[in-house]
Amino acid sequence: MSVQSVERALDVLEALAEHGGEAGLSEIAARTGLPYGTIHRLLQTLLSRGYVRQESDRRYALGGGLVRLGGIAESMVGVWAQPYLTKMVELSGETANLAVLEGDFVVYVAQVPSPRRLRMFAEVGRRVLPHSTAVGKVLLAGRPAAEALAVFERTGMPRRTPNTITELPAMQAELEAVGSRGYALDLGEEELGVHCLAVPVRDGSRVVAAMSVSGPAERIDALDRDELAAGMREIASQFGDELGPIAD
């Protein structure tokens, strides 16, 4: 049985998140369908607990209280992901990663390394821009096009290697392709000689994380991409099913 006041408070927090972490009352009302009075009362409670803050222009933003919860949640998700990442290593022979989108950055929250002597590492906790990584493309392909565009407008798309996509029309086409085929590629776009394939982790219809395998370009290219992606999507679906009840 759901508790209406809790559901409404979560609706308000999700509305702030979907507006880039900051929104006015009218934007929250448009997203949630709640009356202004109800939103104001919920915001006052969230303000008092530090989960929301009010800016000088009277807009509301996600507060520092969420950082503590988010850090604990990420560490727990990383623990839960380990057996699924291990399956991806067994499937591919390469290093497997779990990443999430925090604000405008991709953050790696878990990893299981390849057993091979030559292998890739993405440090847990590392933050990167999304445009040059397979995990970033998967995460933004799962968001509304306008939201992804806003991220690129805020961060730019700096060139990491000669292969990095740095033009917005090309990136929009790339994200559409990711959505169509169900996986994303990084073909030496973040680091030369390193290729990566990533798939989404879904909580219902929402993309909440990305799982990837990465390795030397020649080894990744020797794998059957569609077959690898299909196996990875199955593993990611199993992991999403485990996360589902928590996210609900």
mmCIF file of all heavy atoms in Angstrom, residues 146-176:
data_model
loop_
_atom_site.group_PDB
_atom_site.id
_atom_site.type_symbol
_atom_site.label_atom_id
_atom_site.label_comp_id
_atom_site.label_asym_id
_atom_site.label_seq_id
_atom_site.Cartn_x
_atom_site.Cartn_y
_atom_site.Cartn_z
ATOM 1 N N ALA A 146 15.578 16.684 -25.322
ATOM 2 C CA ALA A 146 15.842 18.044 -24.843
ATOM 3 C C ALA A 146 16.753 18.031 -23.622
ATOM 4 O O ALA A 146 17.599 18.921 -23.449
ATOM 5 C CB ALA A 146 14.531 18.751 -24.502
ATOM 6 N N GLU A 147 16.610 17.025 -22.769
ATOM 7 C CA GLU A 147 17.457 16.918 -21.578
ATOM 8 C C GLU A 147 18.896 16.599 -21.978
ATOM 9 O O GLU A 147 19.843 17.175 -21.427
ATOM 10 C CB GLU A 147 16.912 15.835 -20.659
ATOM 11 C CG GLU A 147 17.615 15.760 -19.318
ATOM 12 C CD GLU A 147 16.979 14.735 -18.390
ATOM 13 O OE1 GLU A 147 15.767 14.460 -18.538
ATOM 14 O OE2 GLU A 147 17.706 14.209 -17.529
ATOM 15 N N ALA A 148 19.078 15.678 -22.920
ATOM 16 C CA ALA A 148 20.422 15.367 -23.392
ATOM 17 C C ALA A 148 21.067 16.587 -24.029
ATOM 18 O O ALA A 148 22.245 16.888 -23.790
ATOM 19 C CB ALA A 148 20.368 14.213 -24.393
ATOM 20 N N LEU A 149 20.294 17.332 -24.824
ATOM 21 C CA LEU A 149 20.804 18.545 -25.461
ATOM 22 C C LEU A 149 21.264 19.551 -24.421
ATOM 23 O O LEU A 149 22.323 20.178 -24.562
ATOM 24 C CB LEU A 149 19.719 19.158 -26.353
ATOM 25 C CG LEU A 149 20.046 20.501 -27.003
ATOM 26 C CD1 LEU A 149 21.253 20.361 -27.925
ATOM 27 C CD2 LEU A 149 18.839 21.025 -27.785
ATOM 28 N N ALA A 150 20.489 19.703 -23.358
ATOM 29 C CA ALA A 150 20.846 20.645 -22.304
ATOM 30 C C ALA A 150 22.166 20.262 -21.639
ATOM 31 O O ALA A 150 22.974 21.131 -21.297
ATOM 32 C CB ALA A 150 19.725 20.730 -21.269
ATOM 33 N N VAL A 151 22.390 18.965 -21.459
ATOM 34 C CA VAL A 151 23.660 18.513 -20.882
ATOM 35 C C VAL A 151 24.816 18.922 -21.777
ATOM 36 O O VAL A 151 25.822 19.490 -21.310
ATOM 37 C CB VAL A 151 23.656 16.981 -20.673
ATOM 38 C CG1 VAL A 151 25.060 16.484 -20.308
ATOM 39 C CG2 VAL A 151 22.662 16.592 -19.587
ATOM 40 N N PHE A 152 24.705 18.666 -23.084
ATOM 41 C CA PHE A 152 25.789 18.996 -24.003
ATOM 42 C C PHE A 152 26.014 20.503 -24.089
ATOM 43 O O PHE A 152 27.150 20.957 -24.237
ATOM 44 C CB PHE A 152 25.503 18.423 -25.392
ATOM 45 C CG PHE A 152 25.467 16.924 -25.426
ATOM 46 C CD1 PHE A 152 24.440 16.251 -26.080
ATOM 47 C CD2 PHE A 152 26.448 16.181 -24.809
ATOM 48 C CE1 PHE A 152 24.406 14.870 -26.116
ATOM 49 C CE2 PHE A 152 26.424 14.790 -24.834
ATOM 50 C CZ PHE A 152 25.407 14.136 -25.492
ATOM 51 N N GLU A 153 24.948 21.274 -23.974
ATOM 52 C CA GLU A 153 25.099 22.725 -24.009
ATOM 53 C C GLU A 153 25.846 23.227 -22.779
ATOM 54 O O GLU A 153 26.612 24.193 -22.857
ATOM 55 C CB GLU A 153 23.728 23.393 -24.116
ATOM 56 C CG GLU A 153 23.085 23.216 -25.492
ATOM 57 C CD GLU A 153 21.701 23.836 -25.570
ATOM 58 O OE1 GLU A 153 21.093 24.068 -24.499
ATOM 59 O OE2 GLU A 153 21.231 24.075 -26.698
ATOM 60 N N ARG A 154 25.618 22.561 -21.641
ATOM 61 C CA ARG A 154 26.306 22.980 -20.411
ATOM 62 C C ARG A 154 27.767 22.536 -20.392
ATOM 63 O O ARG A 154 28.641 23.263 -19.921
ATOM 64 C CB ARG A 154 25.585 22.428 -19.183
ATOM 65 C CG ARG A 154 24.250 23.090 -18.892
ATOM 66 C CD ARG A 154 23.715 22.693 -17.527
ATOM 67 N NE ARG A 154 23.399 21.272 -17.431
ATOM 68 C CZ ARG A 154 22.200 20.759 -17.663
ATOM 69 N NH1 ARG A 154 21.205 21.543 -18.037
ATOM 70 N NH2 ARG A 154 21.993 19.457 -17.530
ATOM 71 N N THR A 155 28.043 21.337 -20.871
ATOM 72 C CA THR A 155 29.395 20.782 -20.751
ATOM 73 C C THR A 155 30.264 21.024 -21.970
ATOM 74 O O THR A 155 31.500 20.992 -21.876
ATOM 75 C CB THR A 155 29.336 19.263 -20.515
ATOM 76 O OG1 THR A 155 28.778 18.629 -21.675
ATOM 77 C CG2 THR A 155 28.491 18.931 -19.297
ATOM 78 N N GLY A 156 29.626 21.244 -23.123
ATOM 79 C CA GLY A 156 30.382 21.204 -24.358
ATOM 80 C C GLY A 156 30.746 19.769 -24.675
ATOM 81 O O GLY A 156 30.411 18.839 -23.927
ATOM 82 N N MET A 157 31.425 19.560 -25.770
ATOM 83 C CA MET A 157 31.869 18.214 -26.149
ATOM 84 C C MET A 157 33.344 18.289 -26.529
ATOM 85 O O MET A 157 33.707 18.197 -27.706
ATOM 86 C CB MET A 157 31.011 17.671 -27.292
ATOM 87 C CG MET A 157 29.581 17.387 -26.881
ATOM 88 S SD MET A 157 28.619 16.540 -28.170
ATOM 89 C CE MET A 157 28.444 17.860 -29.366
ATOM 90 N N PRO A 158 34.218 18.455 -25.539
ATOM 91 C CA PRO A 158 35.650 18.604 -25.836
ATOM 92 C C PRO A 158 36.225 17.360 -26.494
ATOM 93 O O PRO A 158 35.798 16.230 -26.220
ATOM 94 C CB PRO A 158 36.277 18.836 -24.462
ATOM 95 C CG PRO A 158 35.282 18.307 -23.477
ATOM 96 C CD PRO A 158 33.946 18.533 -24.088
ATOM 97 N N ARG A 159 37.201 17.574 -27.358
ATOM 98 C CA ARG A 159 37.820 16.474 -28.091
ATOM 99 C C ARG A 159 38.812 15.757 -27.177
ATOM 100 O O ARG A 159 39.780 16.350 -26.718
ATOM 101 C CB ARG A 159 38.529 16.993 -29.342
ATOM 102 C CG ARG A 159 39.069 15.883 -30.233
ATOM 103 C CD ARG A 159 39.657 16.447 -31.504
ATOM 104 N NE ARG A 159 38.667 17.137 -32.305
ATOM 105 C CZ ARG A 159 37.768 16.540 -33.083
ATOM 106 N NH1 ARG A 159 37.745 15.216 -33.161
ATOM 107 N NH2 ARG A 159 36.912 17.257 -33.784
ATOM 108 N N ARG A 160 38.556 14.477 -26.927
ATOM 109 C CA ARG A 160 39.462 13.667 -26.115
ATOM 110 C C ARG A 160 40.497 12.948 -26.978
ATOM 111 O O ARG A 160 41.630 12.769 -26.568
ATOM 112 C CB ARG A 160 38.646 12.640 -25.319
ATOM 113 C CG ARG A 160 37.682 13.252 -24.309
ATOM 114 C CD ARG A 160 38.412 13.698 -23.077
ATOM 115 N NE ARG A 160 39.008 12.562 -22.394
ATOM 116 C CZ ARG A 160 40.006 12.642 -21.526
ATOM 117 N NH1 ARG A 160 40.549 13.808 -21.247
ATOM 118 N NH2 ARG A 160 40.477 11.559 -20.947
ATOM 119 N N THR A 161 40.069 12.521 -28.162
ATOM 120 C CA THR A 161 40.951 11.871 -29.128
ATOM 121 C C THR A 161 40.487 12.306 -30.521
ATOM 122 O O THR A 161 39.427 12.944 -30.658
ATOM 123 C CB THR A 161 40.872 10.334 -29.048
ATOM 124 O OG1 THR A 161 39.664 9.887 -29.681
ATOM 125 C CG2 THR A 161 40.921 9.830 -27.607
ATOM 126 N N PRO A 162 41.216 11.971 -31.570
ATOM 127 C CA PRO A 162 40.732 12.296 -32.920
ATOM 128 C C PRO A 162 39.392 11.644 -33.253
ATOM 129 O O PRO A 162 38.720 12.066 -34.202
ATOM 130 C CB PRO A 162 41.852 11.760 -33.822
ATOM 131 C CG PRO A 162 43.076 11.779 -32.964
ATOM 132 C CD PRO A 162 42.592 11.431 -31.588
ATOM 133 N N ASN A 163 38.990 10.616 -32.509
ATOM 134 C CA ASN A 163 37.736 9.904 -32.787
ATOM 135 C C ASN A 163 36.535 10.469 -32.036
ATOM 136 O O ASN A 163 35.404 10.025 -32.269
ATOM 137 C CB ASN A 163 37.894 8.428 -32.418
ATOM 138 C CG ASN A 163 38.981 7.734 -33.206
ATOM 139 O OD1 ASN A 163 39.253 8.094 -34.352
ATOM 140 N ND2 ASN A 163 39.630 6.751 -32.603
ATOM 141 N N THR A 164 36.745 11.403 -31.132
ATOM 142 C CA THR A 164 35.657 11.922 -30.314
ATOM 143 C C THR A 164 34.643 12.681 -31.161
ATOM 144 O O THR A 164 35.018 13.495 -32.012
ATOM 145 C CB THR A 164 36.202 12.878 -29.231
ATOM 146 O OG1 THR A 164 37.234 12.226 -28.500
ATOM 147 C CG2 THR A 164 35.101 13.298 -28.270
ATOM 148 N N ILE A 165 33.364 12.414 -30.909
ATOM 149 C CA ILE A 165 32.291 13.181 -31.563
ATOM 150 C C ILE A 165 32.171 14.522 -30.855
ATOM 151 O O ILE A 165 31.923 14.564 -29.642
ATOM 152 C CB ILE A 165 30.963 12.410 -31.507
ATOM 153 C CG1 ILE A 165 31.084 11.078 -32.237
ATOM 154 C CG2 ILE A 165 29.821 13.255 -32.092
ATOM 155 C CD1 ILE A 165 29.864 10.178 -32.101
ATOM 156 N N THR A 166 32.345 15.606 -31.599
ATOM 157 C CA THR A 166 32.329 16.933 -30.983
ATOM 158 C C THR A 166 31.260 17.853 -31.564
ATOM 159 O O THR A 166 31.130 18.995 -31.116
ATOM 160 C CB THR A 166 33.703 17.611 -31.144
ATOM 161 O OG1 THR A 166 34.010 17.738 -32.536
ATOM 162 C CG2 THR A 166 34.788 16.807 -30.446
ATOM 163 N N GLU A 167 30.511 17.371 -32.549
ATOM 164 C CA GLU A 167 29.464 18.187 -33.167
ATOM 165 C C GLU A 167 28.094 17.682 -32.734
ATOM 166 O O GLU A 167 27.839 16.465 -32.736
ATOM 167 C CB GLU A 167 29.574 18.143 -34.692
ATOM 168 C CG GLU A 167 30.902 18.675 -35.228
ATOM 169 C CD GLU A 167 31.088 20.151 -34.928
ATOM 170 O OE1 GLU A 167 30.064 20.865 -34.859
ATOM 171 O OE2 GLU A 167 32.246 20.588 -34.770
ATOM 172 N N LEU A 168 27.223 18.622 -32.372
ATOM 173 C CA LEU A 168 25.920 18.256 -31.830
ATOM 174 C C LEU A 168 25.069 17.434 -32.791
ATOM 175 O O LEU A 168 24.480 16.422 -32.375
ATOM 176 C CB LEU A 168 25.165 19.514 -31.392
ATOM 177 C CG LEU A 168 23.892 19.278 -30.593
ATOM 178 C CD1 LEU A 168 24.163 18.434 -29.359
ATOM 179 C CD2 LEU A 168 23.263 20.608 -30.199
ATOM 180 N N PRO A 169 24.949 17.785 -34.090
ATOM 181 C CA PRO A 169 24.136 16.961 -34.988
ATOM 182 C C PRO A 169 24.620 15.510 -35.056
ATOM 183 O O PRO A 169 23.817 14.575 -35.078
ATOM 184 C CB PRO A 169 24.279 17.659 -36.346
ATOM 185 C CG PRO A 169 24.585 19.080 -35.998
ATOM 186 C CD PRO A 169 25.442 18.998 -34.773
ATOM 187 N N ALA A 170 25.935 15.328 -35.078
ATOM 188 C CA ALA A 170 26.478 13.967 -35.117
ATOM 189 C C ALA A 170 26.163 13.215 -33.830
ATOM 190 O O ALA A 170 25.855 12.010 -33.857
ATOM 191 C CB ALA A 170 27.988 14.019 -35.346
ATOM 192 N N MET A 171 26.211 13.921 -32.693
ATOM 193 C CA MET A 171 25.908 13.258 -31.432
ATOM 194 C C MET A 171 24.418 12.924 -31.339
ATOM 195 O O MET A 171 24.046 11.862 -30.822
ATOM 196 C CB MET A 171 26.312 14.142 -30.259
ATOM 197 C CG MET A 171 26.035 13.527 -28.886
ATOM 198 S SD MET A 171 26.783 11.890 -28.666
ATOM 199 C CE MET A 171 28.520 12.315 -28.603
ATOM 200 N N GLN A 172 23.552 13.805 -31.837
ATOM 201 C CA GLN A 172 22.125 13.502 -31.832
ATOM 202 C C GLN A 172 21.838 12.258 -32.669
ATOM 203 O O GLN A 172 21.043 11.392 -32.271
ATOM 204 C CB GLN A 172 21.346 14.709 -32.363
ATOM 205 C CG GLN A 172 21.344 15.885 -31.395
ATOM 206 C CD GLN A 172 20.712 17.132 -31.985
ATOM 207 O OE1 GLN A 172 20.947 17.482 -33.146
ATOM 208 N NE2 GLN A 172 19.889 17.811 -31.202
ATOM 209 N N ALA A 173 22.491 12.150 -33.823
ATOM 210 C CA ALA A 173 22.326 10.959 -34.661
ATOM 211 C C ALA A 173 22.861 9.726 -33.952
ATOM 212 O O ALA A 173 22.281 8.633 -34.043
ATOM 213 C CB ALA A 173 23.046 11.166 -35.996
ATOM 214 N N GLU A 174 23.972 9.889 -33.218
ATOM 215 C CA GLU A 174 24.552 8.770 -32.474
ATOM 216 C C GLU A 174 23.588 8.272 -31.398
ATOM 217 O O GLU A 174 23.394 7.066 -31.230
ATOM 218 C CB GLU A 174 25.873 9.222 -31.845
ATOM 219 C CG GLU A 174 26.559 8.183 -30.982
ATOM 220 C CD GLU A 174 27.325 7.144 -31.777
ATOM 221 O OE1 GLU A 174 27.215 7.132 -33.026
ATOM 222 O OE2 GLU A 174 28.034 6.322 -31.158
ATOM 223 N N LEU A 175 22.971 9.190 -30.665
ATOM 224 C CA LEU A 175 22.050 8.787 -29.605
ATOM 225 C C LEU A 175 20.804 8.110 -30.175
ATOM 226 O O LEU A 175 20.272 7.168 -29.576
ATOM 227 C CB LEU A 175 21.652 9.997 -28.756
ATOM 228 C CG LEU A 175 22.769 10.651 -27.939
ATOM 229 C CD1 LEU A 175 22.204 11.747 -27.045
ATOM 230 C CD2 LEU A 175 23.533 9.631 -27.109
ATOM 231 N N GLU A 176 20.353 8.562 -31.325
ATOM 232 C CA GLU A 176 19.219 7.898 -31.978
ATOM 233 C C GLU A 176 19.600 6.468 -32.369
ATOM 234 O O GLU A 176 18.799 5.529 -32.207
ATOM 235 C CB GLU A 176 18.788 8.693 -33.212
ATOM 236 C CG GLU A 176 18.100 10.014 -32.872
ATOM 237 C CD GLU A 176 17.760 10.815 -34.119
ATOM 238 O OE1 GLU A 176 17.960 10.278 -35.245
ATOM 239 O OE2 GLU A 176 17.297 11.963 -33.989
#
